[in-house]
Amino acid sequence: MTQEKLGPPTAPAVAEPPRAWTRSHLLDVDDFAPAELEVVMQTTDAMKEVLGRDVPRVPALRGKTIVTLFYEASTRTRASFELAGKALGADVINISAGGSSVEKGESLIDTVRTLQAVGADVLVMRHWAAGAPYLVARHLQAAVINAGDGAHAHPTQALLDLYTIRNHLGDVRGRRVVIVGDIEHSRVARSNIWSLLAMGAEVIVCGPPTLLPAGLRSQKASRPTVEENGREAMALPPVQVETNLERALEGAEVVMTLRLQKERMQGGLLPSLREYATLYQLNEERMSRAQTGALVMHPGPMNEGIEISPGLASSLQSVIEEQVTNGVAVRMAVLYLIARGTKQ
Amino acid sequence: MTTLAIRGGRVIDPAKSVDTIADLLIADGHIAEVGPYAGKDASETINASGLVVCPGFVDIHAHLREPGLEHKETIASGTRAAARGGFTTVCAMPNTEPPIDSAGMIEFVLRTAQTQGAVRVLPIACITRGRVGKELADLAELAQVGAVAFTDDGAPVADAHLMRSALEYAGMLGVPVIDHCEDAVLSAGGVMHEGWVSTRLGLRGNPAAAEETIVARDIALAEATGSHVHIAHVSTAGSVSIIRQAKSRAVRVTAEVTPHHLTLTHEAIIDAGEAPGGLAYDTNAKVNPPLRTQFDAEACAEGLRDGTIDCIATDHAPHAIQDKLCEFDTAAFGISGLETALGLALTALSLQEAVRALTIGPVRALGLDARIEGLGTLSAGAPGDVVLVEPEAEWTVEPETFASKGKNTPLAGRTLHGGVAATIYDGRIVFDGR
């Protein structure tokens, strides 16, 4: 391997992971304490510094093998994990469900056992089924990083969003963050809700009732399940629900809009793209209700002209490209924190 | 003549409101006598002191998987599981491959059960040809060769017109129609109960209303036709309430509830113990209808107590390991339930209530006593089917010890109260756990 030569000989070693970090997998951020989120943020700062060097490489994970296993299409997540792994000197192998033994009917468990047998230390996994990385983490020695599972979680997206917000606003405590769109089917929204609330932000989710998770459609709950046993409050942490975007945007400091899947119309959840854009498109006029200079975010890929106006997406308020850039540093931090603990 | 005496046990026979210490004599495969000093000179004697002696349990809803899915279960293994769970009569569901929709298929099940089964198997036939919900199967012929009910279980009869026809036609034959009540358009690929756990896990939910709308439809059709509809595996409080109202109008509706819907909730899917990430996504708790809330489970138990629900049925749905060791979305629906039924029933119900719900309750729900005199009772002349229960026994669920090929249960490691000490079918001991 040549990574060591490529890195400047005087490169300072990346700081030892602080004690707050004890995780061997990253499955979601739902149980992250603020101190752990701080660890990721600080480690990301260090990684950003590495990426700013002439030769943006350190040998921190030399000898480690990272496998990305994607059962769903992805551009930015996959590319940023690969870049992140390589920048840390790890060997990175990319496997897609199409073109692998998955197409021959191999089960998920058999596939990941094979990858472990050939020496994977870290498995970065994207899967269309919620919970798939949990199944894998339960049955394998290798560390598992969830790169998106169905409608459930996308922890590295939440971490890079938090990092991006903090870069602009500093402490997020008390900041009003609005997430707009298809919350029900969005793993990005779900993970962001957990991490933003853990850091003390105020979170408002906004969308038509048909695109809100069952537990948040409170105006529809006529069924007396409310006092189940108190645990139902754990479905999602306490967010405000607002179906009117204008009202939701009042005083917002961060507005995150989500990709609208066009299949939702066939599912009978929305009348038309036109009506959706009329009610929920984030545009310059609506943003005037938010605080001046409020951040505009989108996890991508965008449908410009549907959930976001093209002008706003490329405006000065937009940090959408920065989200992508920060994605590499955040994923370096996560890989570093996770892979350091794996067996040689 | 072989005779078997069971002496000194507490005999519970809900059909006759009997609950007393008595002796019981079985001769020639039939109950000969119950009372003090019965069978003093029997060729074989079981000392049942400290045990409860009751009619062999009857399960009107079990998936024995044969033919076609023998890797999940066979009639041989499924009936052994039944015996281990205290069941002496099992109604076999027709969603096999191919489905049981012809006289030849019914005869195959009966013949296989005769030669390989440990207990009695009563076959249930499809309502529709090929179980695809398009046209009626040859119901009269199926009834004639021994189908005790009709159902497309696993799927509802989506077409209301066809359901009405099925009820009218089966009504002529005096055979009940069992419906799996689920509006598949509304449940829309849901893999668990729609509620806080589905939201938490990001899994598609199957709302309670998807069951309740079809329960209401079927009751309206039973009322309109005067025929008997039996609602399979009731799982929601709303269904219980709809059935209760219908019974008060004397609609010919009966209903069953599974042991798991009485005792488990959707939280079984999320509760993880030591699992990484703290979320279990336990595919062994994936079942259709889904495990719902505590509110629903309690409503089902209340329905059973007040007679709204007639009986317990296991919906025993064995699967192979690979059917469950996979993504939650792709995992098969079902719980292997025959061997834990009694333990769960006793979690929710008193001993007397549980025995009724496992014996005369199911027999009367499907009218099985019209076919087999005395089934589900200990009357003289009834089948020599008896189960000895140890109500206080504490045991741990170990799926690997199941007689069923299906080890799929969310109860692994859980302690249950109430064990089967022995099962006697047709006058012979078919399971002895003493």
Side-chain angles (χ1 to χ4, degrees):
Chain A
M1 298 304 294
T2 55
Q3 270 87 350
E4 202 166 21
K5 284 179 194 161
L6 284 168
T10 55
V14 182
E16 279 298 305
R19 285 172 197 274
W21 188 270
T22 55
R23 290 172 190 272
S24 43
H25 305 289
L26 176 62
L27 299 173
D28 196 2
V29 289
D30 56 351
D31 57 348
F32 267 55
E36 288 178 285
L37 292 167
E38 285 295 346
V39 170
V40 180
M41 298 297 110
Q42 283 162 25
T43 313
T44 304
D45 282 337
M47 296 304 170
K48 264 206 124 164
E49 185 274 314
V50 169
L51 290 172
R53 296 177 192 174
D54 292 342
V55 181
R57 296 220 155 174
V58 283
L61 297 185
R62 199 160 62 94
K64 301 287 187 186
T65 301
I66 295 166
V67 175
T68 69
L69 176 62
F70 276 55
Y71 282 76
E72 255 187 4
S74 162
T75 306
R76 64 210 77 216
T77 304
R78 179 168 209 153
S80 62
F81 266 112
E82 184 175 355
L83 284 168
K86 287 180 170 164
L88 292 168
D91 295 315
V92 182
I93 298 166
N94 296 316
I95 309 225
S96 298
S100 72
S101 298
V102 174
E103 279 194 335
K104 300 177 186 170
E106 188 175 57
S107 74
L108 173 61
I109 284 286
D110 287 343
T111 299
V112 295
R113 278 184 182 146
T114 303
L115 297 176
Q116 177 168 271
V118 301
D121 298 297
V122 179
L123 191 64
V124 175
M125 229 184 118
R126 152 103 25 126
H127 202 294
W128 48 264
Y134 290 74
L135 171 75
V136 171
R138 202 157 61 237
H139 288 93
L140 287 199
Q141 296 296 317
V144 178
I145 294 175
N146 182 3
D149 64 324
H152 175 243
H154 195 350
T156 58
Q157 179 73 41
L159 292 168
L160 75 88
D161 287 342
L162 180 63
Y163 187 81
T164 306
I165 294 169
R166 281 165 53 113
N167 264 357
H168 289 269
L169 302 183
D171 194 352
V172 302
R173 196 172 310 272
R175 308 277 191 182
R176 189 171 162 92
V177 181
V178 181
I179 307 177
V180 188
D182 186 359
I183 312 292
E184 161 84 320
H185 303 93
S186 173
R187 54 192 172 216
V188 174
R190 284 162 195 253
S191 283
N192 261 303
I193 287 170
W194 289 107
S195 49
L196 288 167
L197 284 172
M199 295 308 264
E202 184 192 348
V203 178
I204 296 94
V205 297
C206 179
T210 47
L211 297 182
L212 295 176
L216 295 181
R217 299 179 200 175
S218 47
Q219 68 273 32
K220 293 187 160 187
S222 58
R223 200 165 168 271
T225 55
V226 182
E227 282 307 315
E228 213 175 297
N229 56 10
R231 290 188 72 193
E232 60 278 4
M234 291 162 47
L236 285 174
V239 294
Q240 296 173 44
V241 179
E242 178 54 80
T243 52
N244 180 299
L245 181 56
E246 276 76 18
R247 272 204 299 275
L249 289 175
E250 294 292 346
E253 289 173 83
V254 178
V255 186
M256 215 178 262
T257 182
L258 302 169
R259 175 179 172 77
L260 184 78
Q261 306 275 344
K262 296 183 181 157
E263 307 88 85
R264 303 296 169 229
M265 265 62 69
Q266 282 92 57
L269 299 178
L270 287 177
S272 67
L273 286 177
R274 181 173 152 273
E275 178 152 312
Y276 182 80
T278 307
L279 292 178
Y280 294 104
Q281 184 183 92
L282 207 57
N283 56 33
E284 292 86 337
E285 190 201 327
R286 287 200 167 114
M287 279 304 289
S288 68
R289 293 171 176 266
Q291 290 202 9
T292 313
L295 304 182
V296 172
M297 305 179 76
H298 192 300
M302 282 186 285
N303 298 303
E304 288 185 57
I306 298 175
E307 70 264 8
I308 190 166
S309 69
L312 191 63
S314 54
S315 73
L316 288 172
Q317 284 178 281
S318 163
V319 294
I320 295 168
E321 271 182 47
E322 196 182 323
Q323 288 174 275
V324 180
T325 310
N326 287 339
V328 179
V330 160
R331 287 172 179 125
M332 282 173 76
V334 165
L335 283 172
Y336 174 73
L337 290 167
I338 294 284
R340 291 274 305 205
T342 60
K343 291 195 191 76
Q344 285 298 329
Chain B
M1 185 168 88
T2 36
T3 52
L4 174 65
I6 300 165
R7 309 198 59 184
R10 174 182 165 194
V11 174
I12 298 183
D13 184 4
K16 301 173 97 183
S17 304
V18 169
D19 184 351
T20 183
I21 305 287
D23 300 336
L24 185 149
L25 178 69
I26 305 172
D28 250 2
H30 288 83
I31 306 291
E33 192 186 350
V34 182
Y37 312 114
K40 273 171 76 179
D41 307 313
S43 52
E44 196 183 339
T45 298
I46 295 174
N47 176 4
S49 73
L51 299 176
V52 169
V53 179
C54 46
F57 299 154
V58 176
D59 186 9
I60 59 172
H61 191 145
H63 298 273
L64 298 183
R65 305 295 192 205
E66 192 174 351
L69 301 163
E70 292 86 353
H71 63 291
K72 294 177 190 267
E73 194 79 290
T74 61
I75 289 170
S77 64
T79 53
R80 269 159 193 78
R84 211 163 163 272
F87 292 91
T88 50
T89 299
V90 175
C91 296
M93 281 292 166
N95 61 335
T96 50
E97 279 182 23
I100 297 167
D101 66 351
S102 66
M105 295 289 294
I106 292 282
E107 281 159 356
F108 165 81
V109 172
L110 288 170
R111 195 166 58 243
T112 308
Q114 193 91 55
T115 55
Q116 295 167 31
V119 301
R120 178 183 299 107
V121 175
L122 300 175
I124 295 175
C126 295
I127 299 172
T128 67
R129 202 180 314 283
R131 211 175 69 85
V132 293
K134 297 287 183 218
E135 53 193 63
L136 295 179
D138 292 341
L139 301 184
E141 188 181 36
L142 287 161
Q144 196 186 0
V145 294
V148 298
F150 303 119
T151 188
D152 279 2
D153 183 66
V157 178
D159 179 333
H161 178 262
L162 195 65
M163 185 64 181
R164 174 184 164 177
S165 297
L167 282 166
E168 283 177 327
Y169 202 93
M172 166 183 83
L173 306 168
V175 175
V177 173
I178 303 174
D179 202 16
H180 165 125
C181 294
E182 175 185 353
D183 181 336
V185 177
L186 183 53
S187 62
V191 292
M192 65 172 297
H193 173 65
E194 182 184 286
W196 76 262
V197 181
S198 67
T199 295
R200 180 73 180 81
L201 295 177
L203 291 170
R204 265 166 303 167
N206 174 349
E211 173 173 312
E212 292 154 4
T213 53
I214 301 297
V215 170
R217 179 202 74 171
D218 285 354
I219 284 172
L221 292 173
E223 200 163 14
T225 57
S227 294
H228 176 189
V229 71
H230 177 81
I231 309 295
H233 40 54
V234 169
S235 73
T236 85
S239 297
V240 174
S241 146
I242 294 164
I243 296 164
R244 186 177 287 126
Q245 287 164 24
K247 283 197 165 181
S248 74
R249 301 195 303 272
V251 180
R252 291 185 68 199
V253 56
T254 52
E256 68 190 34
V257 61
T258 70
H260 46 272
H261 287 109
L262 278 177
T263 51
L264 302 177
T265 73
H266 57 160
E267 293 175 18
I269 293 168
I270 194 171
D271 285 335
E274 295 300 300
L279 306 177
Y281 286 95
D282 186 358
T283 55
N284 283 319
K286 179 178 174 181
V287 62
N288 193 15
L291 299 176
R292 300 196 188 267
T293 68
Q294 193 61 36
F295 177 78
D296 295 295
E298 283 167 11
C300 288
E302 188 47 42
L304 201 47
R305 281 192 206 100
D306 74 11
T308 301
I309 296 176
D310 299 81
C311 62
I312 288 174
T314 65
D315 194 9
H316 175 71
H319 288 291
I321 286 169
Q322 64 271 21
D323 301 327
K324 289 288 192 177
L325 185 59
C326 57
E327 300 88 336
F328 196 91
D329 281 333
T330 48
F333 289 101
I335 292 174
S336 181
L338 281 166
E339 291 164 79
T340 53
L342 174 64
L344 287 184
L346 290 174
T347 303
L349 304 170
S350 71
L351 179 62
Q352 290 85 349
E353 289 164 347
V355 172
R356 170 177 291 274
L358 289 163
T359 57
I360 194 65
V363 167
R364 287 188 183 149
L366 291 195
L368 299 176
D369 44 355
R371 293 169 186 275
I372 301 166
E373 201 190 326
L375 187 70
T377 76
L378 296 174
S379 312
D385 303 347
V386 177
V387 57
L388 306 186
V389 170
E390 208 179 336
E392 305 304 327
E394 204 177 277
W395 59 287
T396 302
V397 179
E398 290 167 347
E400 58 278 15
T401 66
F402 281 5
S404 170
K405 288 189 179 186
K407 314 300 182 192
N408 50 300
T409 173
L411 299 167
R414 182 153 152 181
T415 302
L416 295 180
H417 296 266
V420 175
T423 305
I424 294 139
Y425 165 63
D426 196 25
R428 291 171 289 115
I429 298 175
V430 290
F431 170 71
D432 194 342
R434 289 170 298 161

